[in-house]
Structure formats: C-alpha cells, structure tokens
Amino acid sequence: MEESADTDQLPAQGTLRTRFQDFLESERPASLRSFLLLAFLIRLPAVLFSRGYEFMDHQFQSVDPAYHLAFGGSWWKTWEFDERMRSWLYPEMLAGVFKVLSMLGVTHPSSLLTMTRLVHALLSLLPMWALWMLVVRWKKIPRPNPVLLLMASSGLMIFSGVQPNGTAVAVTFSLTAIFLFHGPGFWWPFGAGLALGLAFACRFQDAFFGPVLFIGGLWLKRWRESAGLAMGAAVTVTLQGIVDYYTYGVFLVSPFRYVELNVFQGAAAKFGQKPVWYYLPLLVVLTFFIPPFIRLVRDAVRAGAKEFPLPFFCAVLYLLLHSLVARKAARFIFPVLLLLLFVLAVGMFREGASSAVQRIHRRLVVGLQILFAVFLSFAYFHQGPIEAALWLREQSDFKDHLVVANGGFEDVGGHLYLGRKTLEVHPMQSEQLPQFFKKLNTTDTVYVMSVVEPLSEVVRRAVETEGWGLDLQKSIQPWPNLKKKRRRYIYRAILKSGQPATILTTPIPDSP
C-alpha cells in the first residue's frame, strides 16, 4: 500500500542526527499539522521574551492608537493621523484584541502585549499553511522539508509574525496572498485577494504585489485565478475605504493622501534619504552572494525562480520600486527578503550537497536565519524608555502631566505603558525648565523625564530658585548600554513655595 504524502515519520533506527538528516533529505514532506505545530513552537520564545518596539511607528502609530481606541487612554496623535494618511483598520483590529484580553483579566501592559504577540503568532501561521500547500500539494518540489523548516525558523519571519504593528502584519498577509495565489481554481486566489487587500490596509506599498500576481496569472492563462484575486482584493480594499469613510469622512482617502504627501510632496524624504543601492548589501548578506559562493547562489536563485516565477518577480518589482524611493529602511523590504530566501531555498535544496563549498554555504544561510531568530526572539528594543514609563505608571502621584527634558513626544516610552486616561506631555530643552516652573503654580507633584543625560546642577539650582525641588528618583541605563538616547533619568518636582494655580498646557517658548 502506498504511503501517504503527508507522513512525517522519521526512520526508526540510527542516531538522532542521522534520522534528522534522513528527514531533511526525504521526498516525504512533514504533515501539515506537525509543520504548523513546529512553526508555532519556534515562535513561542519571541512571544514570551521579545519586548519593546524596534521603530517608532510600531508604538505610536499601532499600539498606542489601539490603546486609545480600546480603553480611552492617552496617546500622541502623530501628524500622519492629522493628515488623514494613516489607516485606522489595523489599530481597530488591535484594539479589538486588547478589549478581549482585558475582559479575560489581562490588563498589565507587559502581560497584555505578551498575549497580543501570542495572537499574532497564531495569525502568522497563515503564510506557513499557504507555503505548505504550495510546495506539498499544488506545486510539489523535491526535498520540501528543509525549505519548510528554513522558512518557519527564519528570524525575519518570526519577527514579522509576532510583533503587533501594521508593517509586520502586512508581511504576514502579503506572503499568504502570494503563496495562496498558486492554488487552483477561483477560491484559493480569491482568498489570496482578501489577504492582499488586508496587507494593503496595513501597509499601502504592499499593493505593488497585486499587479504582478494579476498580470502573471493572465500571462500563464490562469484566467479564473486572476479574476478571483481581483474580486477578493476588491472586498478588503472596499473595507479599507469604509473604515476611511467612518474615520476621516472620505472613502479611501488614506492611501491617496499617503501617496500625495510622501511621493509628490516629499514628506517621507524629510526623515532621511539613502542611496539607490542601499538594499543591495542586505541581499548579499541574506544569500551570502560572496566568493566562493557566487556561482552557487546564482544557480540556486535561477532554479528557484524558474520553479516559482511569481514570488521571484514580486520580490524584484517590490525591491526596484523601494530602491527608487529616497526614504529607506530594512523593515520596508522584509517581504522581498523572505521571498528571495524562499526562492533561494527551493533552488539550494533541490539536491543534496555534493561538495564542501555547498555544505558550507547552506550552513551559513541557515545559521544566519537561526542567529536572527535567537536575537529577535529575546531582544528588548527601547528598553530604557519603556522601563521609565512602567516605573511612572506605578507612582500614585503621577497625574496628568509629564515634562520631557531634551526630548520629544516620541521619547516617553509609550502611552500604553504610562497607563493614564489623560496625559499632556511637555517636551522642552533642559534650559527651559526654570522658566517652565516659574510660570507653574500648583501644589501637584510634577515628574520630569530627562533624556540621554541627567539634569545639570546649574539647571536644578535654577529650578530651585523658582521654589521647586527636583529630586532624582530613578536612573535607567539599560544593558547593553550602547545607545545614550535610550537612557532616562526621572525627577520628582515638588513645590517648596508659591501659590497654586493652573498648570501650563502648552510648551514654553525658548528663552530669548
């Protein structure tokens, strides 16, 4: 009787290493259930231990807006929301997760975000499921197990899969769409279209994948598949339009405003510009496209692209368009890196390694992804600001105002961690503090968070002359203490003399 194609039984004899090697070289794929379970277990360390936010938009344009929607908490309304160029769809979804977890008794920020990462980890199994369907059922490849394991354990895939922010979730939906589009008939591509529309709502640039898949389907004479993709995308793009209508008053205003401001008015370029070749070193590192592996990588990518042209061309177009834009960051091309890793792996693992150079190259590629996975599963990004916010959260006399010395609105660590219904942040240079407290007549305690370095004695004495005492309460210098920007020094300001009045609600201008 012929064995099932889904079996993942390992040989019964031999050492564990031998059995694992036989499993990798086997033509029999791991079962879908076993593969998804393994992918989930690989994500658990990141769920439990990865904390913080690697970039500002993660906290201030995803987590904090969702916190505001869910609990009415304070937040910093960034200019993107004022300009109606940021979608509210993902913050609304995340707010729903927060509400459900709160009803289950999960309320502390650390626990709330741990459980939120768990929800996202489950969501990130969607592209893993679609990948398994692609390489096992729809377009069977020889030796699928190493490809499946490499993609499941990729550090970039894990990081994108568990982090609660729109950019990361867009990666999950985009990869799901690209893999699902290979399914036969109408409904699999329809599901791909639904996923692609959600990716578009989370990050508008991911719409670039749509034309490649649609035109590719027409080129391959997969008429029903292209129609299914278009109809599925129309559903979720319409959903995005409805959200825009109810939040901004205009149907689908946010993507058009996004293009208008970032592309035609150059708003994105104001946050930094990089050369056209900026992303090429990332591709070199990802594939180890260096001597003596150049020919190996070239042949592997060529073989993988021949087997899966649509993922390859999706990556190429996405990379080209992002290279032409002045504003660049590694996270912008995570889908490219993961798609190229998939194409490389398909070509690289088609046959067993026949030389020492091939074995070394494979170990380097796999080892790099494992290294990424370990680092990103235990990293604590922006630890200093977050720990400062958590400490302030526990202070009973921390009320409605926070002064940020030598910093801005983005330096508070996150309003979710601060945990206040109303909070006005007063950013200023430390030299402005005496003038601020001179005009501040209240008996309430005021906290000052100094960024990078403690307040100088000159500033503290000048504040004391205005009748206020500034006492250092907490010094936070996270280890490894590599970035001074992450250091925080928290002072409690107590009125020594003066008449109570109303606290200022706007930053004080620079002294003449």
Side-chain angles (χ1 to χ4, degrees):
M1 183 175 178
E2 184 179 353
E3 291 182 309
S4 170
D6 292 352
T7 181
D8 61 341
Q9 295 296 318
L10 298 178
Q13 298 178 346
T15 64
L16 181 61
R17 179 177 179 180
T18 300
R19 286 185 288 171
F20 182 67
Q21 188 65 36
D22 290 342
F23 173 69
L24 293 179
E25 295 177 357
S26 174
E27 298 288 333
R28 296 178 298 178
S31 68
L32 177 59
R33 181 174 59 183
S34 298
F35 173 61
L36 293 181
L37 177 60
L38 177 61
F40 175 72
L41 293 176
I42 290 173
R43 282 153 175 73
L44 274 184
V47 169
L48 297 173
F49 302 111
S50 66
R51 291 176 289 172
Y53 47 96
E54 193 272 332
F55 59 101
M56 292 298 176
D57 289 358
H58 176 164
Q59 182 67 36
F60 296 103
Q61 298 197 39
S62 290
V63 173
D64 277 354
Y67 165 66
H68 173 71
L69 290 173
F71 308 119
S74 65
W75 70 304
W76 169 37
K77 189 178 183 181
T78 63
W79 68 274
E80 288 92 338
F81 288 103
D82 280 329
E83 292 290 349
R84 303 184 300 170
M85 60 174 285
R86 184 68 64 180
S87 170
W88 277 99
L89 181 60
Y90 177 71
E92 291 277 6
M93 295 166 58
L94 187 57
V97 174
F98 286 170
K99 288 179 181 179
V100 171
L101 292 175
S102 177
M103 288 188 291
L104 296 175
V106 182
T107 56
H108 189 275
S110 298
S111 302
L112 185 68
L113 289 176
T114 297
M115 295 303 296
T116 300
R117 290 193 296 270
L118 177 63
V119 173
H120 283 70
L122 292 172
L123 180 66
S124 74
L125 297 181
L126 278 176
M128 295 293 96
W129 161 68
L131 173 66
W132 187 93
M133 295 294 291
L134 173 59
V135 301
V136 174
R137 290 284 175 82
W138 298 329
K139 202 167 184 179
K140 297 180 181 180
I141 63 172
R143 298 160 50 85
N145 292 327
V147 176
L148 292 171
L149 291 179
L150 177 61
M151 295 302 293
S153 59
S154 165
L156 300 181
M157 185 72 82
I158 294 170
F159 185 72
S160 299
V162 304
Q163 296 303 321
N165 66 78
T167 300
V169 174
V171 175
T172 292
F173 286 130
S174 289
L175 294 183
T176 301
I178 293 169
F179 295 149
L180 279 185
F181 182 70
H182 293 78
F186 176 86
W187 291 108
W188 292 110
F190 180 81
L194 293 176
L196 187 61
L198 290 173
F200 163 77
C202 292
R203 188 166 188 265
F204 298 133
Q205 292 93 323
D206 285 26
F208 292 145
F209 293 127
V212 178
L213 295 176
F214 183 80
I215 295 173
L218 297 179
W219 180 265
L220 298 172
K221 297 182 179 180
R222 303 179 74 225
W223 320 113
R224 286 187 304 170
E225 286 80 356
S226 290
L229 176 79
M231 294 182 67
V235 172
T236 39
V237 170
T238 300
L239 174 63
Q240 168 60 57
I242 294 172
V243 171
D244 277 354
Y245 180 79
Y246 280 100
T247 52
Y248 295 129
V250 181
F251 184 80
L252 272 183
V253 65
S254 58
F256 289 104
R257 287 289 292 165
Y258 185 92
V259 172
E260 178 186 353
L261 290 170
N262 283 329
V263 178
F264 297 109
Q265 297 186 24
K270 297 177 182 178
F271 294 92
Q273 301 184 42
K274 303 293 183 183
V276 174
W277 50 263
Y278 177 79
Y279 292 124
L280 295 182
L282 297 178
L283 304 182
V284 170
V285 172
L286 177 79
T287 61
F288 283 91
F289 191 64
I290 55 175
F293 310 124
I294 291 178
R295 185 173 180 179
L296 287 176
V297 174
R298 182 201 66 188
D299 292 344
V301 171
R302 182 181 296 172
K306 184 178 180 180
E307 191 76 23
F308 295 99
L310 290 181
F312 176 74
F313 283 111
C314 279
V316 170
L317 177 64
Y318 200 84
L319 177 64
L320 176 62
L321 293 173
H322 278 73
S323 296
L324 297 177
V325 177
R327 172 80 166 127
K328 297 180 178 68
R331 67 180 181 274
F332 294 168
I333 65 161
F334 273 12
V336 170
L337 299 177
L338 288 167
L339 288 171
L340 289 181
L341 180 65
F342 166 66
V343 170
L344 173 69
V346 170
M348 188 170 62
F349 292 118
R350 287 180 65 85
E351 300 175 353
S354 59
S355 68
V357 175
Q358 284 181 311
R359 288 193 293 271
I360 292 172
H361 177 253
R362 293 182 184 188
R363 289 170 183 171
L364 287 173
V365 171
V366 173
L368 179 65
Q369 291 304 315
I370 294 176
L371 183 64
F372 282 164
V374 172
F375 171 72
L376 294 173
S377 294
F378 293 90
Y380 190 173
F381 295 106
H382 285 85
Q383 178 180 354
I386 292 173
E387 289 299 320
L390 288 172
W391 185 85
L392 282 169
R393 176 190 182 89
E394 300 302 321
Q395 309 311 304
S396 59
D397 55 354
F398 173 52
K399 297 295 176 68
D400 299 328
H401 300 272
L402 175 63
V403 179
V404 181
N406 304 315
F409 293 104
E410 72 278 8
D411 292 309
V412 302
H415 288 254
L416 170 70
Y417 300 105
L418 291 166
R420 293 297 183 267
K421 287 285 186 181
T422 59
L423 181 68
E424 187 162 358
V425 177
H426 306 272
M428 65 187 66
Q429 294 300 308
S430 58
E431 293 79 8
Q432 294 178 270
L433 286 173
Q435 185 182 5
F436 177 86
F437 282 102
K438 180 179 181 179
K439 296 182 178 181
L440 180 63
N441 295 313
T442 179
T443 57
D444 290 340
T445 298
V446 178
Y447 281 89
V448 178
M449 179 188 294
S450 182
V451 178
V452 178
E453 58 187 14
L455 299 175
S456 67
E457 279 297 317
V458 173
V459 169
R460 294 179 64 181
R461 288 176 182 175
V463 171
E464 288 178 0
T465 63
E466 304 300 337
W468 288 81
L470 273 179
D471 297 318
L472 180 64
Q473 300 295 309
K474 188 72 174 178
S475 173
I476 300 175
Q477 304 182 51
W479 185 92
N481 194 4
L482 302 178
K483 292 186 177 181
K484 292 183 178 180
K485 184 69 173 175
R486 304 291 182 261
R487 301 174 187 175
R488 295 293 183 272
Y489 305 87
I490 305 177
Y491 297 82
R492 179 184 281 121
I494 301 176
L495 182 66
K496 302 297 184 182
S497 62
Q499 298 298 319
T502 303
I503 192 168
L504 292 174
T505 58
T506 56
I508 297 176
D510 292 334
S511 300

